[in-house]
Amino acid sequence: MDAYERITRNAAEVVTEEEIEALADDPDGKRAYVGYEPSGVLHIGHMLTANKLIDLQEAGFEVTVLLADVHAYLNDKGSFEEIRHTAERMRDQFIAYGLDESSTQFVLGSDFQLDDDYTLDLHSLELETTLARAERAMAEITSSDSVKVSQAVYPLMQALDIPYLGVDLAVGGMEQRKVHMLARDVLPSIDREPPTSLHTPLIADLSTGHGKMSSSTGVTISMEDSREDIESKVNKAYCPPTADPEPTDDGAERENPVLQVFEYHVFPRFETVVVERPEEYGGDLEYDAYDDLEADLESGELHPADAKGALAEYLDRLIAPGREQLAE
């Protein structure tokens, strides 16, 4: 797998293709970043973008993880003391999950977001940005009809973080796309380059296959989960024998979240996936590529229950080091 393939595999979108190709031509020493609010224990959403950071490290990139304590404070996630304690715990969990500590820099937002230059640049962006434009990037921040001023400033800070961190590539889930497009719109107004960005897919709701998996609503998987918790959640997951399920009764699109987790979490981290089955049911199945597992589920060779059993096993292997770190 060449650098371009490793950088872009399992990406839902890159902006722009030409900019990514230029980075892939000479990735050594380039820097990518993801920002996370220190709001709790790592869950499957954090792990998806962390998988992409691991890909980028293997391609030659250095990685910055922004533990955005100021953003979390603006989003009413607690006091600075509480948020910074959570940030320290999350740092250790990312290392336990597999980020290369020697090529990963962890940065608190308060390390630079409270400086005079940053504040003045932020005010310059506020002068250049209409409230309507900022609101279009706020969908993932506010969950109520009552929008606070801090939530309007939040996406402008996310945009400004990119040049202040000195990164070549901004990484995030598809929910971050609007923020990155805002950054491309507004940063040139303060003589900053528009950022290159890469967006990872969203995993569907584990129980229904409709909407997105969320740590605040529905069922999610996190580093706090025991082996038994993981098995229980996966066994209850929506998993029809197809990668293209029928829509809901209301006509809403559905995904197969079990297959999505295999594709975006398991296969990027394991060269071979073994589905254990009794000999009376055909014996073990071994897969070197996700597409083969999907094809066997479609054909009926792989039963959804066996797929779930394997998924729980491999998720537990990924989560166990972080779970042990939390226990310490």
Side-chain angles (χ1 to χ4, degrees):
M1 186 181 301
D2 65 20
Y4 176 82
E5 291 172 323
R6 190 168 293 281
I7 291 167
T8 59
R9 74 165 172 170
N10 292 337
E13 177 189 51
V14 295
V15 182
T16 66
E17 188 73 33
E18 294 78 7
E19 293 168 15
I20 291 289
E21 289 173 353
L23 289 176
D25 285 341
D26 184 21
D28 289 341
K30 297 295 192 301
R31 185 168 289 276
Y33 109 104
V34 179
Y36 302 96
E37 272 192 13
S39 56
V41 175
L42 260 62
H43 56 71
I44 204 163
H46 300 114
M47 296 170 200
L48 199 157
T49 46
N51 287 337
K52 178 47 60 184
L53 293 180
I54 292 169
D55 274 345
L56 292 167
Q57 287 180 329
E58 292 175 353
F61 279 70
E62 295 177 1
V63 161
T64 295
V65 174
L66 174 63
L67 298 171
D69 54 344
V70 177
H71 289 85
Y73 182 77
L74 291 175
N75 207 15
D76 202 20
K77 294 295 178 65
S79 69
F80 265 110
E81 183 178 356
E82 293 166 340
I83 293 166
R84 285 169 179 162
H85 176 68
T86 302
E88 291 174 7
R89 296 177 66 209
M90 288 184 72
R91 177 196 181 281
D92 294 338
Q93 292 166 54
F94 276 116
I95 297 301
Y97 185 67
L99 284 178
D100 180 359
E101 189 169 8
S102 66
S103 59
T104 305
Q105 179 185 21
F106 291 89
V107 179
L108 287 172
S110 55
D111 289 344
F112 64 94
Q113 292 167 346
L114 305 179
D115 294 347
D116 290 347
D117 288 345
Y118 184 95
T119 301
L120 289 173
D121 277 342
L122 179 60
H123 290 330
S124 295
L125 290 182
E126 292 165 356
L127 287 169
E128 296 291 335
T129 309
T130 65
L131 189 57
R133 180 67 186 90
E135 285 180 339
R136 291 204 297 273
M138 288 167 51
E140 294 300 317
I141 302 164
T142 178
S143 57
S144 69
D145 294 331
S146 180
V147 178
K148 297 179 180 179
V149 173
S150 62
Q151 292 169 327
V153 175
Y154 191 114
L156 290 177
M157 290 179 62
Q158 287 182 277
L160 193 57
D161 291 342
I162 298 169
Y164 268 81
L165 289 170
V167 298
D168 302 285
L169 178 64
V171 178
M174 278 298 290
E175 77 278 2
Q176 294 297 315
R177 185 184 193 279
K178 290 181 179 180
V179 168
H180 292 155
M181 296 307 101
L182 173 68
R184 290 182 71 88
D185 284 350
V186 302
L187 287 178
S189 71
I190 58 169
D191 297 322
R192 302 285 192 164
E193 292 292 322
T196 302
S197 57
L198 181 152
H199 306 125
T200 58
L202 300 177
I203 304 295
D205 179 81
L206 198 61
S207 300
T208 66
H210 169 57
K212 76 163 189 170
M213 194 184 302
S214 170
S215 60
S216 58
T217 59
V219 178
T220 191
I221 294 169
S222 80
M223 282 188 174
E224 285 184 318
D225 287 337
S226 66
R227 171 66 180 258
E228 292 73 22
D229 292 333
I230 295 169
E231 289 177 347
S232 175
K233 290 177 179 180
V234 171
N235 285 336
K236 295 175 184 176
Y238 175 71
C239 184
T242 177
D244 188 22
E246 293 292 325
T248 66
D249 293 341
D250 297 331
E253 291 186 2
R254 272 179 160 173
E255 302 284 350
N256 184 325
V258 168
L259 285 181
Q260 286 185 308
V261 177
F262 266 119
E263 182 174 11
Y264 301 127
H265 286 81
V266 175
F267 278 93
R269 300 292 302 278
F270 296 94
E271 291 186 2
T272 302
V273 172
V274 177
V275 178
E276 296 182 355
R277 301 188 307 180
E279 288 297 329
E280 61 186 294
Y281 295 116
D284 294 351
L285 295 169
E286 187 171 310
Y287 300 99
D288 298 325
Y290 163 76
D291 289 343
D292 297 332
L293 184 146
E294 179 188 305
D296 273 4
L297 188 74
E298 292 274 7
S299 71
E301 176 64 22
L302 173 61
H303 192 278
D306 293 323
K308 289 180 179 182
L311 182 60
E313 166 66 26
Y314 283 93
L315 276 178
D316 185 64
R317 292 190 201 178
L318 288 172
I319 287 170
R323 184 170 60 224
E324 292 167 6
Q325 191 280 325
L326 283 170
E328 293 173 1

